[in-house]
């Protein structure tokens, strides 16, 4: 098992110590919005990735690991699927770029599903190492109405103009 929580914490610490500006882009409301975040705001938003279920002992006890090489992307994929149906974290995928001397973690994806008083919320969270994280949230009300929001928090200035 890969140390998913430690990988996320390590890159988060890198952002705290190195990022010059952190941009948040949000879509899904009445109009798209962009704003630069304070460090405190970044810490609050990024904490949604630091789930207790990712702690090594709990993670290994609740998830099964499968790995494969995706020939279309050239990335190694480590897929962790929940063994039991309990808990909001359903799946974790760690994408690794193989290198000649050292493999590099490219990104980490988390799939969450949880009931809400109004219906259900599904979140797909992706942390792209050294660049950004993105949270796509889809809520479905009990009468079937869906709402989708996308939050993208970027610390790599080369990614500021990307959608």
């Amino acid at each position: 098992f890969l140390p998913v929580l430690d990988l996320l914490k390590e890159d988060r610490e890198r952002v705290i110590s190195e990022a010059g500006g952190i941009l948040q882009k949000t879509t899904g409301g009445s109009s798209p919005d962009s704003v630069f975040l304070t460090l405190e705001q970044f810490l609050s938003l990024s904490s949604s990735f630091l789930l207790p279920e990712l702690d090594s002992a709990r993670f290994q006890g609740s998830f099964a690991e499968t790995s494969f090489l995706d020939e279309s992307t050239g990335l190694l994929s480590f897929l962790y699927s929940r063994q039991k149906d309990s808990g909001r974290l359903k799946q974790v995928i760690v994408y690794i770029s193989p290198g000649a001397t050292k493999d590099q973690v490219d990104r980490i994806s988390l799939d969450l599903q949880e009931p809400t008083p109004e219906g259900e919320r599904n979140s797909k969270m992706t942390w792209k190492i050294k660049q950004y994280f993105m949270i796509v949230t889809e809520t479905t009300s009990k009468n079937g109405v869906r709402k989708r929001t996308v939050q993208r928090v970027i610390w790599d200035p080369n990614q500021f103009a990307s959608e």
Side-chain angles (χ1 to χ4, degrees):
F1 277 74
L2 295 170
V4 177
L5 186 60
D6 292 338
L7 293 168
L8 291 166
K9 285 180 178 179
E10 180 183 316
D11 202 51
R12 185 178 188 231
E13 287 300 316
R14 184 181 300 115
V15 174
I16 292 167
S17 64
E18 297 176 6
I22 303 170
L23 179 66
Q24 177 186 14
K25 293 182 173 186
T26 305
T27 58
S30 58
S31 63
D33 188 30
S34 296
V35 64
F36 278 96
L37 300 176
T38 65
L39 187 56
E40 291 77 21
Q41 291 169 318
F42 168 77
L43 291 172
S44 176
L45 287 170
S46 64
S47 66
S48 61
F49 280 85
L50 307 179
L51 302 170
E53 296 97 328
L54 294 174
D55 179 72
S56 291
R58 285 181 70 180
F59 191 54
Q60 289 182 19
S62 300
F63 287 81
E65 179 186 69
T66 319
S67 60
F68 57 91
L69 174 64
D70 184 338
E71 293 188 20
S72 65
T73 63
L75 297 174
L76 294 169
S77 298
F78 289 82
L79 173 66
Y80 300 96
S81 300
R82 182 171 283 285
Q83 292 178 338
K84 300 173 188 157
D85 199 26
S86 63
R88 62 186 185 137
L89 182 61
K90 300 301 179 189
Q91 182 173 292
V92 177
I93 307 173
V94 180
Y95 300 91
I96 296 180
S97 177
T101 57
K102 185 178 178 187
D103 296 340
Q104 296 288 329
V105 175
D106 182 70
R107 67 186 180 276
I108 298 169
S109 263
L110 309 175
D111 288 349
L112 292 94
Q113 183 179 38
E114 54 194 329
T116 66
E118 299 80 32
E120 184 176 82
R121 178 175 44 235
N122 293 303
S123 300
K124 296 206 180 288
M125 303 169 37
T126 300
W127 189 290
K128 176 81 167 152
I129 302 296
K130 298 181 182 178
Q131 293 183 18
Y132 63 86
F133 71 74
M134 182 168 49
I135 302 173
V136 178
T137 304
E138 187 174 279
T139 55
T140 306
S141 68
K142 291 181 180 180
N143 61 1
V145 176
R146 289 185 178 194
K147 179 182 172 187
R148 183 177 185 204
T149 58
V150 179
Q151 271 186 316
R152 189 166 177 185
V153 176
I154 308 162
W155 51 90
D156 176 1
N158 296 320
Q159 297 290 320
F160 283 172
S162 65
E163 289 301 318

